[in-house]
């Protein structure tokens, strides 16, 4: 349990928080929200112990561990990926070293009857017990599952970390934090460098294996799926909602409306009192009433309305000039870097007015194909751009390409031509760069502001084919919604490369999946595609990765759907196994499966018991007996989860060994 007591933070005499208090329970999944600059990242740093508040305290239960992932961090690069990730198990590895030393010493000694020999045996037993309690038996399997879930291939495990980009190195740090199984996870924008499949895997991990989580993210679908509580930071105060993000949005709107009505009523009352005072100030017969009104005015406590971001991005793409019926036609397009074939035989046609998405794991060729379309890199095959097609391209690193020494105004002034130059101020104002903001240097802008500035370039000339590569990076939810509405209203053709499911939902009507060196067309929206792929579990993710096999033909349906009970007959007929052998195999499978089911039943029962105790705690029952029971149940649940993982692993290994 984390307790935040009367927390206050000031920067340059400006209060960021003022007397803030809340509690994070052991199983809470919290979304920390608020406008840019409200103090979300600062709050995470204070809880993590990396920053001291002006006043107040942060208390934690004895022995509680914290895992913190900042937006930007320095990553070690002197080891391989798997060696770096193994550091998450540094405690277990040290225990193993001590066990190895004790075992070696035990083998060398011959004084079997001595007290020292017995003490060494006792110490070895103690070390083995501790190692078993920390669940190190599955260390390598856990590492492998986590790295694969976050998008790494097995070939990547032995690569040096300095061979990876900053985004992939952030994934390495995220893997270390997750594998350490901290009591509280503090994650600041963890999805920034993840693809859709990795985000889904992280969702499942946080929902099923993580304990307490405090999350800052602009990915609406992600936080809505993971969290069950929302804490909003506004005007230096916090508002705590026992609801997920989508429900919080509705409740917040109702709260602000109530505040506004109360504020308006108070302002009317104040105006009436002031009017009375001014009218009768100099009339002796009204002196008593005037003094009474003055005292009444002094006693009024002003109602504070939560700050609402009234700035509004007005984004509308210019009318698209009419292009040919087929703006883009690809036939057997391929791209390779040396011996590495990124993709091959990409064949599809885009019709005028279509809005499509490019999705897939990082490194599978989405941005590469975009560069082929822009004719920035050579490729094989045929790629035809249709008649009268004018392309507007927003690159993934567009914001980073801006000159930091130029002002906002100069940045646009240098690329604007013709009559549009007389409207630069108006355009900047529409993008929330009005007034003094237009004179700011680019280098002092936030990531979202730089993205908005780069987006202006798309509006300077009318286009009919928009290609947007990760356009939502660093944009807050409000701005993403405005951009989404603008793209919907655009009457040209659109290609969007993105991993933001909520942004793509309702925007695209066709999805092109990149993976295994292929580009596959999927009709329907993003959730139609995801449901079809059924990317809900790690096992399914693993199957999708194995699509790199040259032959992509599926095994016969009968082989896929055969039950364990059917296996003896089938294998006996094949002549590979005798009936007795097949029957024995079937028995082992059923036993392994029952072990998994038993572990799942135990987990369900313990979760129900824990929920019952949590209900007691929420009602104010904090007796020592209740707390002790809660602690014991939590420990039992951890052990049950470990038993389930071992049983599931044994079951999977048995199936793999039998070729099932």
């Amino acid at each position: 349990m984390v307790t935040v007591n009367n927390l206050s933070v000031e920067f340059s005499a400006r209060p960021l928080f003022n007397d803030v208090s809340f509690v994070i329970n052991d199983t809470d999944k919290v979304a920390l929200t608020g406008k840019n600059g409200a103090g979300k990242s600062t709050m995470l740093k204070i809880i993590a112990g990396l920053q001291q508040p002006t006043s107040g305290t942060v208390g934690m239960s004895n022995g509680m561990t914290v895992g913190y992932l900042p937006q930007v961090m320095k990553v070690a690069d002197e080891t391989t990926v798997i060696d770096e990730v193994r550091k998450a198990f540094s405690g277990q590895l040290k225990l193993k070293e001590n066990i190895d030393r004790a075992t070696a010493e035990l083998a060398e000694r011959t004084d079997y009857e001595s007290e020292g020999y017995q003490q060494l045996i006792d110490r070895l037993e103690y070390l083995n017990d501790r190692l078993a309690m920390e669940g190190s038996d599955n260390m390598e399997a856990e590492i492998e599952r986590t790295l694969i879930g976050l998008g790494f291939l097995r070939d990547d495990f032995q690569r040096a970390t300095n061979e990876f980009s900053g985004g992939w190195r952030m994934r390495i740090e995220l893997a270390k934090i997750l594998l350490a199984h901290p009591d509280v996870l503090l994650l600041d924008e963890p999805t920034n460098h993840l693809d859709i499949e990795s985000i889904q895997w992280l969702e499942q991990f946080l929902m099923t294996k993580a304990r307490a989580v405090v999350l800052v993210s602009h990915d609406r679908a992600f936080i809505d799926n993971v969290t069950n509580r929302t804490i909003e930071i506004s005007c230096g105060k916090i508002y705590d909602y026992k609801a997920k993000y989508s429900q919080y949005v509705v409740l917040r709107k109702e709260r602000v409306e109530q505040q506004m009505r109360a504020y308006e009523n108070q302002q009317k009352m104040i105006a009436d009192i002031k009017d009375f005072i001014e009218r009768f100030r100099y009339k002796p017969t009204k002196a008593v009433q005037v003094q009474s009104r003055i005292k009444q005015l002094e006693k009024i406590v002003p109602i504070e309305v939560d700050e609402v971001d009234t700035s509004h991005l007005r984004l509308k793409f210019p009318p698209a000039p009419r292009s040919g019926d087929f703006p883009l036609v690809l036939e057997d397009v391929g791209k390779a870097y040396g011996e590495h074939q990124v993709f091959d035989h990409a064949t599809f046609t885009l019709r005028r007015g279509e809005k499509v998405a490019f999705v897939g794991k990082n490194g599978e060729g989405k941005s590469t194909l975009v560069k082929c379309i822009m004719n920035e890199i050579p490729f094989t095959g045929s790629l035809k751009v249709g008649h009268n097609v004018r392309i507007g391209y927003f690159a993934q690193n567009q914001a980073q390409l801006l000159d930091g020494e130029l002002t906002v105004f100069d940045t646009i002034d240098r690329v604007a031509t013709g009559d549009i130059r007389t409207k630069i101020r108006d355009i900047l104002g529409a993008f929330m760069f009005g007034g003094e903001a237009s004179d700011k240097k680019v280098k002092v802008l936030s990531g979202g502001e730089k993205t908005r500035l780069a987006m202006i370039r798309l509006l300077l000339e009318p286009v009919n084919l928009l290609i947007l590569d990760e356009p939502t990076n660093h944009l807050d939810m409000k701005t993403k919604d405005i951009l989404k509405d603008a793209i919907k209203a655009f009457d040209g053709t659109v290609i969007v490369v993105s991993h933001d499911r909520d942004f793509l939902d309702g925007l695209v009507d066709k999805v092109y999946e990149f993976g295994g060196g292929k580009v596959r067309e999927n009709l329907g929206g993003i959730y139609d595609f995801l449901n079809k792929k059924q990317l809900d579990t790690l096992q399914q993710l693993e199957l999708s990765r194995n699509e790199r096999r040259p032959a992509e033909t599926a095994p016969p349906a009968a082989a896929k759907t055969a039950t364990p009970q059917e296996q003896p007959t089938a294998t006996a007929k094949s002549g590979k196994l005798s009936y007795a052998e097949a029957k024995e195999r079937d028995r082992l499978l059923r036993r392994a499966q029952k072990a998994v089911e038993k572990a799942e039943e135990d987990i369900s029962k313990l979760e129900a018991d824990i929920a019952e105790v949590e209900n007691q705690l929420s009602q104010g029952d904090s007796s020592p007996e209740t707390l002790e029971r809660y602690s014991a149940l939590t420990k039992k649940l951890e052990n049950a989860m470990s038993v389930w993982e071992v049983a599931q692993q044994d079951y999977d290994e048995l199936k793999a060994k039998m070729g099932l």
Side-chain angles (χ1 to χ4, degrees), residues 339-382:
E339 296 183 358
H340 175 58
Q341 190 74 42
V342 183
F343 59 83
D344 199 13
H345 300 297
T347 301
F348 61 86
T349 300
L350 289 189
R351 294 181 176 274
R352 184 179 63 246
E354 279 189 327
K355 295 177 176 62
V356 305
F358 286 179
V359 303
K361 298 181 277 292
N362 292 344
E364 293 288 359
K366 304 184 297 294
S367 297
T368 301
L369 182 55
V370 169
K371 290 177 181 178
C372 294
I373 296 170
M374 297 300 301
N375 203 27
E376 293 181 358
I377 56 175
F379 55 89
T380 58
S382 171

Side-chain angles (χ1 to χ4, degrees), residues 96-117:
K96 282 189 173 182
E97 289 176 4
N98 291 337
I99 289 171
D100 291 340
R101 280 198 297 269
T103 304
E105 185 181 347
L106 202 64
E108 293 174 359
R109 294 180 63 163
T110 57
D111 53 335
Y112 308 119
E113 303 296 328
S114 68
E115 185 179 347
Y117 191 85

Side-chain angles (χ1 to χ4, degrees), residues 145-344:
R145 284 197 296 267
T146 303
L147 287 175
I148 288 175
L150 289 173
F152 291 91
L153 300 174
R154 287 188 175 85
D155 295 342
D156 297 331
F157 293 0
Q158 300 302 329
R159 289 174 60 190
T161 56
N162 59 10
E163 295 180 17
F164 293 86
S165 65
W168 283 96
R169 293 162 82 179
M170 286 290 288
R171 294 192 191 202
I172 295 172
E173 290 303 304
L174 178 58
K176 287 166 61 178
I177 293 169
L178 297 180
L179 286 167
H181 297 295
D183 298 306
V184 182
L185 272 172
L186 309 175
L187 305 177
D188 197 350
E189 296 287 358
T191 65
N192 270 358
H193 303 287
L194 301 182
D195 51 51
I196 288 179
E197 295 183 4
S198 298
I199 290 172
Q200 288 191 306
W201 179 88
L202 182 59
E203 276 180 7
Q204 290 296 318
F205 184 96
L206 295 178
M207 288 189 291
T208 59
K209 294 190 176 182
R211 299 167 189 171
V213 178
V214 183
L215 180 66
V216 175
S217 177
H218 288 146
D219 189 327
R220 186 184 282 108
F222 178 71
I223 62 174
D224 213 35
N225 290 337
V226 171
T227 61
N228 55 21
R229 179 181 170 192
T230 305
I231 295 178
E232 179 196 4
I233 302 175
S234 179
C235 293
K237 299 182 292 185
I238 66 142
Y239 296 91
D240 198 343
Y241 297 85
K242 303 294 191 248
K244 58 174 58 183
Y245 183 82
S246 56
Q247 296 168 321
Y248 145 77
V249 172
V250 177
L251 295 171
R252 183 185 189 278
K253 185 180 178 182
E254 293 174 357
R255 187 191 84 223
V256 174
E257 287 175 352
Q258 291 171 358
Q259 287 179 337
M260 186 58 71
R261 285 195 294 270
Y263 174 79
E264 289 171 352
N265 291 335
Q266 189 183 64
Q267 291 300 307
K268 185 177 182 301
M269 182 181 69
I270 291 171
D272 291 342
I273 293 172
K274 287 182 176 179
D275 183 59
F276 182 92
I277 294 171
E278 289 299 321
R279 278 194 297 141
F280 300 108
R281 183 185 292 273
Y282 303 107
K283 289 190 176 183
T285 57
K286 298 285 187 181
V288 176
Q289 292 95 322
V290 169
Q291 288 300 316
S292 176
R293 295 294 197 283
I294 291 173
K295 290 179 181 178
Q296 184 183 354
L297 194 63
E298 290 173 350
K299 291 179 181 178
I300 291 175
V301 179
I303 294 174
E304 189 177 25
V305 180
D306 294 337
E307 57 186 324
V308 178
D309 191 2
T310 56
S311 60
H312 187 69
L313 174 63
R314 299 188 299 277
L315 177 56
K316 184 179 180 182
F317 291 102
R322 186 175 177 86
S323 68
D325 290 338
F326 304 104
L328 201 61
V329 180
L330 282 76
E331 294 182 7
D332 294 327
V333 175
K335 176 61 185 175
Y337 292 102
E339 296 183 358
H340 175 58
Q341 190 74 42
V342 183
F343 59 83
D344 199 13

Side-chain angles (χ1 to χ4, degrees), residues 511-532:
V511 176
Y512 289 95
E513 179 196 7
F514 288 69
K518 304 293 180 184
V519 181
R520 302 173 183 83
E521 183 180 86
N522 298 269
L523 300 177
I526 185 65
Y527 282 105
D528 293 326
F529 162 70
L530 293 176
N531 290 334
K532 181 181 175 184

Side-chain angles (χ1 to χ4, degrees), residues 47-63:
I47 297 174
L50 301 176
Q51 185 171 323
Q52 293 300 315
T54 307
S55 63
T57 59
V58 176
M60 295 187 183
S61 305
N62 289 334

